[in-house]
Amino acid sequence: MQIFLSLAVAVGYQFVIRAFDVTATHITLTPAWWQLFVPPLWLASTIEWVIGGQRTAFLSLLALQGLLMPFYPFFHLPTIQQRL
């Protein structure tokens, strides 16, 4: 049964990915305050800031969060341990 499921996923993926044409779409980011709380946008904005060349203030703030927030727990680890 697991072999059949693995084959179905592998073959099904080939059909599903060809059903959508994502090359013709143009996706733009409209800045909103709630996007500051979405971690995938932090990392994606870092890539866009470096590779895409967009240097808006909002994108720079998201990129800064993407670079600094992963290290935040390490600086506050003693405080977190004291509260446990």
Side-chain angles (χ1 to χ4, degrees):
M1 184 66 181
Q2 290 177 344
I3 295 172
F4 174 72
L5 182 62
S6 298
L7 288 174
V9 168
V11 172
Y13 176 77
Q14 299 300 319
F15 291 117
V16 171
I17 199 67
R18 287 178 173 79
F20 301 102
D21 184 20
V22 294
T23 59
T25 60
H26 182 69
I27 300 171
T28 59
L29 176 70
T30 305
W33 64 270
W34 57 267
Q35 293 170 346
L36 295 172
F37 302 105
V38 182
L41 283 177
W42 303 345
L43 302 174
S45 65
T46 306
I47 295 170
E48 179 63 29
W49 197 80
V50 172
I51 296 174
Q54 289 189 5
R55 303 280 199 274
T56 63
F58 187 74
L59 200 62
S60 298
L61 179 62
L62 285 173
L64 186 65
Q65 278 185 308
L67 294 173
L68 296 179
M69 290 305 279
F71 299 106
Y72 177 78
F74 295 114
F75 295 118
H76 294 285
L77 196 57
T79 306
I80 293 170
Q81 288 177 345
Q82 288 174 355
R83 292 183 183 177
L84 293 177

